[in-house]
Amino acid sequence: MVIELNHLIAFDEVLATQLSRRPAEIVGMLEEAAKKLARQICNIPVEGIRDPLGDFQIQINSTTRPMTIRELESTNISKFVRIPGIVVSASNIVARPTRVYAVCRGCGMNRYIPVTSAFGGVSLPRACPGQNRETEVTSAPCPVDPFAIIPEKCKCVDQQTLKIQESPDMVPVGELPRHVLATVDRFLVNRVTPGTRVIINGVYSIFQSSSSKAGNSGGAAIRSPFIKVLGIQ
């Protein structure tokens, strides 16, 4: 479902302001609201073993003035941004887990753990909540780091990584064009190909790169920027 930001401003200016300041949180609420309304229209019960509707994806379009890649700063982190550029590369589609299914190796307790990061792994609990519970399998306490992920029971979505580069007319004379990574998921994958001029609307975010994890001299505190795309124009 595509939402025009101008329509949202005309409907509720406060909501549109909150979308610009807290886009990840507000878009999640909009997706839940769309799903709730669809259930009412189709007369589908809220609870059910199999949800025939699945998940909704809200996409945001806007006509506000875009900012360049050079204008992105730390003050823009977690805010809504519009970035024009050229797609110079697109990765293969990968399956990104949104909820992982973990089972304790000691007592067999299972649980779903949500995944919020677009890059990197998931933090599994170091201890099992049921480690003091005696079962028919074993009465020994659960070990440290007891949870193991069962891949076939995880909930995943399609994800693709794009590399967006400045357009030649935006590059100052004598300088090289800059670029930024962008992630698209679900219905936005395979929408653009390298060489396409686009304006991406999304959330300016950060992640810990593998090079930062390997460093031992303060590198772990460094985060690399990327844009979680909410809409492509």
Side-chain angles (χ1 to χ4, degrees), residues 98-224:
T98 57
R99 288 197 309 166
V100 298
Y101 183 83
V103 176
C104 176
R105 296 190 298 268
C107 64
M109 179 186 217
N110 58 75
R111 62 187 299 186
Y112 278 102
I113 302 174
V115 182
T116 57
S117 175
F119 291 102
V122 59
S123 298
L124 297 176
R126 298 295 308 275
C128 176
Q131 61 182 350
N132 297 323
R133 181 184 60 187
E134 292 187 1
T135 63
E136 297 179 358
V137 179
T138 177
S139 59
C142 299
V144 180
D145 295 329
F147 285 100
I149 296 177
I150 309 300
E152 57 270 17
K153 291 189 177 182
C154 297
K155 184 178 181 182
C156 301
V157 296
D158 292 334
Q159 178 173 293
Q160 189 179 28
T161 302
L162 307 177
K163 187 176 181 180
I164 310 297
Q165 184 175 283
E166 287 180 310
S167 301
D169 53 345
M170 295 182 177
V171 181
V173 178
E175 295 192 21
L176 294 174
R178 298 184 182 181
H179 64 270
V180 65
L181 292 179
T183 63
V184 294
D185 58 15
R186 295 176 284 178
F187 293 100
L188 289 175
V189 299
N190 277 345
R191 288 280 300 275
V192 293
T193 56
T196 307
R197 286 178 176 262
V198 296
I199 298 179
I200 58 174
N201 308 309
V203 187
Y204 190 51
S205 307
I206 54 176
F207 74 100
Q208 185 174 357
S209 62
S210 56
S211 58
S212 298
K213 295 178 183 178
N216 296 321
S217 58
I222 303 299
R223 299 294 187 268
S224 301

